[in-house]
Structures are given as structure tokens and as C-alpha cells.
């Protein structure tokens, strides 16, 4: 039949009208009669109905009862139903903003007699344009580094199944049709471009596999804006929505090390000094800026794609919780980064991580990802493990290569670790057992190896607290990055 008759049943039970017998002689060959609740819909201009219309009908039969109905849009092709009420999604021809739909219904009685004069209704329709919009609170902050992720929504008042396409463009680039079933989209610019316009790969959802097409117009080392619009089956185009302006910072050409800092600027500068003293070239991902203002909305895929561009990583992460404004999660950075580090190491990446464990640390997201199996706490209430200024962190592998690390001040409330079964103890702490602290281990660092070389370093102490021996931290970092990684 021309134009597919689409209906969404409202879940009403099929109510078949059973006509009462008339007094006197009954005509057994009587034919049913059919009625539509509206005799006419006299609407015009902008007052017409949208393409989603609720219609009701009923039938009568003088010598029996109504068993069903047939519906049609052309009085020739019919579809059977037992319902008396539906919401129809009518198609408006492409390119038109209005249409008159012919709707026919005929009743069938219990003797299979069909009403020879179907009820008819002309339905005046007008197409309502669709809409599309970004959720700005889920987009990039003022700067996107390597990958820019957006969350969008599109709908149509005539029914979302009347949406035909969703399109995006970046700046003055071309409109590109995107997968309208994927509300999360990430753009990864060509990493060979350091300045100027670049094409960008498109990633959907949490996939780290690029779509088979790209988008142009993104400006590297410059300000950008993304545009979105939707198109419905009548070729009506929504108003264009725009993202917030964001600056796009690229990966530095030739750099294969990523530095992730979660500390404030003062502590960050300490680690910057350690790295620069070893002439290590890096790109910085600064999560500690303005108390986590740069925390990505989506670690997966945004941070996953960032890490994918590097072979090595250095991470200095505090024990404090960071709040994700999208999910509402509040947890330490090692937990946010756990799935990222897992995939990074699965793909051959190597990392050096220093953080601080607490006595209430939840390792459910970190265990097995990092070379740690458990934390070490005391069973004696009020007891504490301390590292005094005449003590140190001592290497367990090679004391000639890896120096002692002496604390600048007394370290209170030390929480050692138990290394995972596939890891090697790397450093232990010379602990003072205050008030009967009875923890079973003094290990504070562990490593994993690949092909006999260290590939993962995990310290459960923050190294910037152990710089009393001048140059010791620099020596440790240099040995790992220059000779192991």
C-alpha cells in the first residue's frame, strides 16, 4: 500500500462492540457499519496536526457483533486489527512541510461481513522540525588535549523514528553525517599536524577503533567550535546548536612520553625539575590544575586515546578524591586511570607511578592493574607506621643503581603494600613502629618486568617527600627511563 501505515498501539485491550439484538425480526444477513470518532478535522496552516496522531473508531452490527477492523490509507490496501484506538506516525512526503492523509476504516462482523462503505477521515498534517543540541557540561573544558569528546542529543516532536540524519561540522569545515545511534563522539586530530587545520578521526562511545570516515575543519593550537544539526524524513533541518569554544592542544611531534600530574602547581614543579634534570621530553596532562578543573569528563575514551599516542608515562598522583561532574564519582586518580593503564600496558606501554596509599584504600579497581595486591595496616588501635628523618626508603634490587631516598620530614601514617604475585618488591621503608604497629610488610614499591627489563614501577609513597638526599630522585627516575624503559 502506498505509504506505510505505522502505528504505536497504546496498549488498550481490544474492545469489541457487541451490539444488542433488536426486538422483532432479525436480519441475519445485515452488514456492519463503521464510524470514526472525528467526522472531520478542520485545521489549516500552523494549526495542523503533527505527524503523530491518535485516532479512534468503532463499529455496529444489527444481528451480531464486530470481530475486527481493517485500516487503509488508499481504500485499496488494508491491514487487519482488533483494536479501536492507536497512535499513528504518518509519513509526510520528503521536501514538504504539510500533507493531507486519507484514513479509511471498515468494520468486520462475526459472519465475516465487511462494511461496504468504509468510514473516512482526512487528516491535515504539518511537519515539526527536529532539534539537536550539545550537552555543554559534558564537553571539553576550555582546552582539549589531543582528543575532544562531546555528548549530544537529537529528537523530533513527530517521533524520534522520523529523524533521518544527524550532522556535525567543526568551524568552517564540511557537514559530516554521524551515527545517530551514538550520543558520545570523540575527535582525534591528525597528530602530525602541529599548527593550522587538520582532519580528525571520529570515535564513537568508548571504542578506541576509529570510524571509517573523518571530519575536517579542526584548528590545531587554536580556538574551535563544533556545530550540530538534525534532519527529519521530510527534509526539515533543525536549528544549529554550537559547542562552547575550546582550544585544541596537540601532541608534540616526536615526543613519546606522557607526564600526568595530579598535584598542585608547587608540587608539580618539583616533579618537573626531576624530569628536566634527566632531559626527558614529555607532554603534560595536568589534572591537578585548579583542584581538578581539568579532570576529563570521560576517561574512556578521551584519556584512553591520549595514552594511545605514547609509549611511556610518568604519573605523580595524590591520594585525594577527585569528583567527576558527569558520573558523580569521587575517587582517587589511580582508580580513574586503572582501565587506561591496563590497556596502555597491554599495548606495550611502560609507566612510573608514585602516589600515596591510605589505611582505608579501596583496591577493587586497582588490584591486578597495578603491581599491588593489598595494603598493609596494623591490628593495634591507635598504632602507626612512621619514617623518621634518620631513616630511608631502601632499594631491594640493586643498591648501586637505585639510591636510598631519605624523607625531608617525618612521614606519619605510612601505609605499605603487598606486591602482586607477578611483581617484584622494589623498595622497602625503614619503619618506626609507633604504639605497637604490627603491619606484616614494609614494602613501599614494586615493579613488573617484560623481557627482563622493568616495564612498570609503582610507589605507594609520594617521592617528592623524599628529596633530602640531593639528586637521589633524579637518579632513580633517570635510571628507569634511560636504562629500563
Amino acid at each position: 500500500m502506498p505509504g506505510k501505515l505505522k502505528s504505536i498501539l497504546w496498549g488498550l485491550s481490544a474492545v469489541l462492540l457487541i451490539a444488542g439484538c433488536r426486538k422483532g425480526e432479525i436480519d441475519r444477513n445485515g452488514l456492519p457499519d463503521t464510524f470514526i470518532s472525528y467526522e472531520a478535522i478542520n485545521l489549516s496552516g500552523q494549526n495542523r496536526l503533527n505527524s503523530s496522531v491518535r485516532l479512534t473508531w468503532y463499529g455496529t452490527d444489527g444481528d451480531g457483533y464486530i470481530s475486527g477492523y481493517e485500516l487503509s490509507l488508499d481504500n485499496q490496501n488494508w491491514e487487519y486489527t482488533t483494536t479501536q484506538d492507536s497512535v499513528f506516525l504518518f509519513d509526510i512526503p520528503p521536501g514538504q512541510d504539510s500533507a493531507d492523509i486519507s484514513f479509511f476504516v471498515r468494520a468486520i462482523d462475526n459472519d465475516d461481513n465487511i462494511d461496504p462503505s468504509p468510514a473516512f477521515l482526512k487528516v491535515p498534517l504539518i511537519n515539526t522540525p527536529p532539534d539537536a543540541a550539545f550537552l555543554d557540561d559534558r564537553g571539553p573544558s576550555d582546552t582539549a588535549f589531543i582528543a575532544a569528546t562531546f555528548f549530544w542529543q537529537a529528537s523530533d516532536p513527530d517521533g524520534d523514528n522520523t529523524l533521518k540524519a544527524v550532522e556535525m561540522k567543526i568551524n568552517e569545515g564540511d557537514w559530516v553525517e554521524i551515527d545517530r545511534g551514538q550520543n558520545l563522539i570523540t575527535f582525534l586530530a591528525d597528530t602530525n599536524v602541529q599548527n593550522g587545520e587538520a582532519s580528525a578521526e571520529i570515535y564513537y562511545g568508548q571504542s578506541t577503533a576509529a570510524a571509517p570516515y573523518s571530519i575536517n575543519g579542526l584548528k590545531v593550537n587554536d580556538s574551535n567550535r563544533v556545530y550540530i544539526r538534525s534532519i527529519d524524513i521530510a527534509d526539515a533541518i533543525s536549528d544549529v546548536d554550537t559547542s562552547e569554544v575550546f582550544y585544541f592542544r596537540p601532541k608534540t611531534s616526536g615526543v613519546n612520553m606522557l607526564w600526568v600530574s595530579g598535584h598542585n602547581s608547587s608540587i608539580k614543579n618539583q616533579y618537573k625539575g626531576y624530569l628536566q634534570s634527566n632531559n626527558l621530553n614529555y607532554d603534560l596532562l595536568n589534572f591537578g590544575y585548579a583542584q581538578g578543573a581539568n579532570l576529563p569528563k570521560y576517561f574512556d575514551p578521551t584519556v584512553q586515546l591520549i595514552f594511545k599516542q605514547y609509549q611511556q608515562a610518568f604519573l605523580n598522583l595524590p591520594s585525594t578524591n577527585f569528583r567527576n561532574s558527569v558520573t558523580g564519582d569521587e575517587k582517587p586518580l589511580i582508580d580513574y586511570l586503572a582501565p587506561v593503564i591496563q590497556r596502555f600496558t597491554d599495548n606495550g606501554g611502560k609507566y612510573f607511578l608514585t602516589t600515596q596509599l591510605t589505611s582505608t584504600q579501596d583496591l577493587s579497581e586497582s588490584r591486578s592493574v597495578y603491581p599491588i595486591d593489598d595494603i598493609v595496616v596494623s591490628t593495634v588501635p591507635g598504632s602507626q607506621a612512621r619514617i623518621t628523618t634518620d631513616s630511608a626508603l631502601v632499594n631491594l634490587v640493586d643498591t648501586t643503581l637505585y639510591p636510598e631516598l631519605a624523607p625531608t620530614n617525618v612521614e606519619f601514617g605510612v601505609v605499605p603494600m603487598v606486591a602482586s604475585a607477578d611483581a617484584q618488591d622494589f623498595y622497602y621503608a625503614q619503619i618506626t613502629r609507633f604504639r605497637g604497629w604490627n603491619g606484616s610488610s614494609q614494602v613501599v614499591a614494586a615493579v613488573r618486568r617484560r623481557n627482563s627489563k622493568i616495564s612498570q614501577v609503582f610507589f605507594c609513597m609520594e617521592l617528592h617527600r623524599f628529596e633530602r638526599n640531593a639528586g637521589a630522585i633524579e637518579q632513580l627516575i633517570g635510571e628507569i627511563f634511560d636504562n629500563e624503559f
Side-chain angles (χ1 to χ4, degrees):
M1 66 191 287
K4 183 180 179 182
L5 181 61
K6 295 177 290 186
S7 66
I8 301 176
L9 300 181
W10 279 49
L12 297 178
S13 300
V15 180
L16 302 180
L17 299 180
I18 304 176
C21 295
R22 293 175 298 177
K23 294 181 179 180
E25 184 179 355
I26 298 176
D27 180 5
R28 299 295 182 181
N29 295 316
L31 297 175
D33 203 0
T34 316
F35 304 89
I36 299 176
S37 297
Y38 294 104
E39 291 187 1
I41 302 177
N42 298 312
L43 298 174
S44 61
Q46 294 301 313
N47 293 322
R48 287 168 169 258
L49 304 173
N50 65 31
S51 60
S52 177
V53 181
R54 180 175 182 265
L55 297 176
T56 61
W57 54 89
Y58 64 95
T60 62
D61 185 45
D63 62 349
Y65 60 89
I66 303 300
S67 62
Y69 302 88
E70 289 185 331
L71 312 177
S72 175
L73 296 180
D74 59 3
N75 205 23
Q76 296 181 18
N77 299 281
W78 300 87
E79 290 187 7
Y80 180 78
T81 182
T82 57
T83 63
Q84 295 177 256
D85 155 291
S86 280
V87 173
F88 296 92
L89 297 176
F90 295 111
D91 289 342
I92 294 178
Q96 298 183 23
D97 64 359
S98 63
D100 291 323
I101 302 297
S102 296
F103 180 76
F104 302 85
V105 59
R106 62 189 186 187
I108 304 172
D109 68 14
N110 57 299
D111 294 319
D112 292 331
N113 295 313
I114 298 175
D115 183 357
S117 301
F120 167 75
L121 181 67
K122 183 178 74 173
V123 184
L125 302 179
I126 187 168
N127 183 62
T128 306
D131 56 54
F134 290 107
L135 272 67
D136 289 328
D137 60 344
R138 298 193 182 190
S141 53
D142 58 357
T143 299
F145 173 51
I146 296 182
T149 301
F150 300 86
F151 191 93
W152 60 270
Q153 291 179 331
S155 61
D156 192 332
D158 297 326
D160 288 350
N161 63 331
T162 65
L163 283 174
K164 184 173 73 174
V166 176
E167 296 180 334
M168 287 187 186
K169 75 169 184 172
I170 305 177
N171 301 316
E172 291 76 39
D174 299 320
W175 286 104
V176 173
E177 183 175 346
I178 65 170
D179 184 345
R180 62 181 184 274
Q182 298 282 353
N183 294 98
L184 192 66
I185 187 169
T186 301
F187 303 118
L188 177 70
D190 184 346
T191 55
N192 293 315
V193 178
Q194 297 293 289
N195 290 282
E197 187 171 317
S199 64
E201 292 180 325
I202 296 175
Y203 295 81
Y204 291 116
Q206 296 180 335
S207 174
T208 54
Y213 47 88
S214 60
I215 190 168
N216 60 5
L218 191 143
K219 298 175 182 178
V220 176
N221 267 325
D222 204 342
S223 296
N224 294 266
R225 191 187 289 272
V226 182
Y227 301 79
I228 185 173
R229 68 185 184 187
S230 60
I231 304 169
D232 68 12
I233 58 176
D235 291 334
I237 301 175
S238 71
D239 291 336
V240 175
D241 189 44
T242 62
S243 71
E244 296 290 339
V245 174
F246 64 97
Y247 191 89
F248 190 88
R249 181 167 67 94
K251 176 184 183 295
T252 303
S253 180
V255 170
N256 68 357
M257 175 183 165
L258 179 66
W259 170 27
V260 181
S261 176
H263 288 96
N264 61 37
S265 58
S266 175
I267 297 174
K268 176 181 72 70
N269 287 336
Q270 287 181 257
Y271 286 101
K272 179 179 179 180
Y274 305 148
L275 299 177
Q276 290 185 338
S277 68
N278 284 291
N279 297 314
L280 294 172
N281 296 318
Y282 55 80
D283 281 334
L284 171 63
L285 193 55
N286 188 4
F287 292 158
Y289 171 75
Q291 298 181 323
N294 284 345
L295 190 73
K297 311 296 193 305
Y298 301 95
F299 276 73
D300 196 356
T302 314
V303 182
Q304 290 278 16
L305 291 170
I306 293 172
F307 266 76
K308 193 176 179 181
Q309 313 309 312
Y310 300 89
Q311 290 79 52
Q312 302 173 2
F314 180 83
L315 307 94
N316 56 278
L317 311 176
S319 61
T320 53
N321 286 342
F322 284 67
R323 186 177 188 278
N324 185 293
S325 61
V326 172
T327 64
D329 290 339
E330 293 193 22
K331 55 187 180 182
L333 288 172
I334 60 168
D335 287 350
Y336 284 116
L337 286 164
V340 176
I341 293 296
Q342 183 66 71
R343 187 172 296 178
F344 180 64
T345 55
D346 287 347
N347 292 330
K350 304 172 183 178
Y351 71 88
F352 187 130
L353 187 153
T354 171
T355 189
Q356 188 83 14
L357 296 182
T358 67
S359 60
T360 58
Q361 194 87 26
D362 180 2
L363 295 179
S364 59
E365 296 186 56
S366 301
R367 185 179 286 110
S368 79
V369 173
Y370 306 106
I372 178 174
D373 186 64
D374 206 351
I375 59 173
V376 177
V377 295
S378 174
T379 60
V380 179
S383 63
Q384 191 180 84
R386 297 177 177 178
I387 305 174
T388 60
T389 53
D390 60 353
S391 300
L393 307 184
V394 181
N395 175 257
L396 291 166
V397 176
D398 190 330
T399 56
T400 61
L401 294 177
Y402 305 110
E404 286 190 356
L405 305 174
T408 309
N409 301 291
V410 176
E411 290 296 311
F412 299 93
V414 175
V415 179
M417 59 179 279
V418 176
S420 58
D422 61 346
Q424 177 184 13
D425 292 343
F426 189 37
Y427 270 81
Y428 77 96
Q430 296 174 331
I431 285 177
T432 297
R433 298 170 179 266
F434 181 71
R435 290 182 177 174
W437 185 87
N438 62 357
S440 59
S441 171
Q442 297 179 202
V443 173
V444 293
V447 296
R448 284 189 177 124
R449 295 179 181 270
R450 185 186 300 129
N451 299 325
S452 76
K453 287 285 191 178
I454 292 175
S455 60
Q456 300 177 40
V457 180
F458 183 91
F459 271 84
C460 67
M461 301 295 298
E462 294 175 308
L463 289 181
H464 67 273
R465 301 174 182 271
F466 293 84
E467 60 174 3
R468 185 160 57 86
N469 295 342
I473 297 176
E474 290 90 335
Q475 179 184 341
L476 169 61
I477 292 174
E479 185 63 33
I480 294 295
F481 279 93
D482 291 339
N483 298 320
E484 295 289 344
F485 288 2

